Amino acid sequence: MTTQPYHTHNNTHKTDNSLILSEAQATEVETHPFAPVLPSNATVMMMGTFPPTADKWAMPFHYPNFYNDMWRIYGSVFFDDVDYFRVGKEKRFDPERIRAFMFERGIASCPTVKQAIRKTGNASDKNLTVVTPVDLDSILPKVPKVPKVPKVETLFTTGGKATEVLLGLLAEPPAKSKYPKTNQSMDYPYQWQSNQSQKADVNDLTLYRLPSTSRAYPLAIDKKIAAYKDFFKKIGKL
């Protein structure tokens, strides 16, 4: 896993990008294929990293691999049915049903990574080099309480790499020893990086780290479901 400092309060990020691209040489830089899901009533935002290659997609939507358990977990947590978002007996989920649910419940989804290089051709976070992280200055104002004032109060990550990327965006990124463990939370004192947004108050955000829903993550699905259910109860979504 290549780790780079992501904060952009100075000009180091452009330098970091140049170094990454220089090292990668002919390696392809990919842009995240899915647009964020940003309901205007969202109070919480789910933040992962990067999807698998297109040949692994069961649908053109976030967490597209049929063997990733994200939408089974959501189905179980909110509807007591792991197949709630599944299309009949087919090996795919219904992206429009998922999107409608997220807009109804005020749950946003935005990846922490805009551009990346796959070192091994798969979606493994440990082999993912982040080229361009998410621009929260442009994302947060799109889910407003009133114009240009963010309503999102809680961010939650779905794994260690996403947590690392988000914490790297802080003006003073914490040491790795201070990162939240799985199922833990911490204050997330994000500061605007563009002058146009500095008056908006986003210093009251909380960051939760939840288990990865990949089957490569060594935790039984019932325990993942329990973790997500506890989280959504805690933030008032259940």
Side-chain angles (χ1 to χ4, degrees):
M1 176 177 70
T2 299
T3 302
Q4 300 291 335
Y6 302 116
H7 51 91
T8 57
H9 296 276
N10 51 41
N11 293 322
T12 58
H13 186 60
K14 290 183 179 179
T15 302
D16 293 335
N17 280 357
S18 297
L19 289 172
I20 292 171
L21 294 174
S22 176
E23 291 173 0
Q25 296 180 341
T27 304
E28 182 179 0
V29 176
E30 297 181 48
T31 299
H32 199 291
F34 308 131
V37 179
L38 302 173
S40 61
N41 62 337
T43 56
V44 59
M45 186 154 63
M46 174 169 67
M47 304 193 75
T49 50
F50 221 68
T53 52
D55 60 301
K56 300 292 196 302
W57 297 0
M59 62 175 179
F61 194 74
H62 298 263
Y63 302 91
N65 191 326
F66 181 72
Y67 297 103
N68 184 297
D69 286 320
M70 179 62 76
W71 304 120
R72 293 181 183 85
I73 290 170
Y74 267 82
S76 180
V77 167
F78 289 95
F79 303 101
D80 294 319
D81 181 3
V82 293
D83 289 325
Y84 183 82
F85 293 109
R86 186 173 177 178
V87 179
K89 297 298 182 181
E90 297 181 40
K91 292 185 177 181
R92 63 188 181 97
F93 299 103
D94 184 340
E96 293 308 316
R97 191 173 194 182
I98 295 169
R99 184 186 294 275
F101 160 78
M102 296 180 78
F103 272 78
E104 177 189 346
R105 295 298 180 107
I107 300 172
S109 180
C110 178
T112 61
V113 179
K114 291 174 63 176
Q115 291 184 307
I117 296 167
R118 303 178 198 269
K119 292 182 180 178
T120 57
N122 58 34
S124 173
D125 282 351
K126 69 178 181 179
N127 296 315
L128 194 70
T129 297
V130 177
V131 175
T132 308
V134 63
D135 178 7
L136 288 179
D137 276 20
S138 68
I139 294 298
L140 289 172
K142 293 179 181 178
V143 279
K145 186 183 305 180
V146 295
K148 296 186 179 179
V149 179
K151 186 176 182 178
V152 168
E153 299 172 347
T154 305
L155 308 177
F156 73 95
T157 56
T158 58
K161 184 67 171 179
T163 305
E164 176 187 323
V165 173
L166 277 187
L167 292 178
L169 296 177
L170 297 179
E172 298 182 7
K176 286 192 175 182
S177 60
K178 301 295 184 180
Y179 285 11
K181 306 295 184 184
T182 303
N183 296 325
Q184 293 183 350
S185 65
M186 64 178 288
D187 292 336
Y188 187 73
Y190 182 76
Q191 296 179 9
W192 293 108
Q193 297 173 10
S194 66
N195 293 333
Q196 293 88 343
S197 301
Q198 284 180 352
K199 292 184 179 180
D201 179 12
V202 292
N203 290 321
D204 295 329
L205 290 168
T206 301
L207 173 63
Y208 285 80
R209 177 179 173 181
L210 294 186
S212 169
T213 56
S214 168
R215 294 189 179 180
Y217 184 73
L219 187 68
I221 188 172
D222 59 332
K223 293 185 178 179
K224 294 181 183 182
I225 290 169
Y228 277 73
K229 181 174 287 188
D230 287 347
F231 165 74
F232 282 116
K233 283 182 179 177
K234 187 174 295 184
I235 65 168
K237 291 293 182 184
L238 283 176

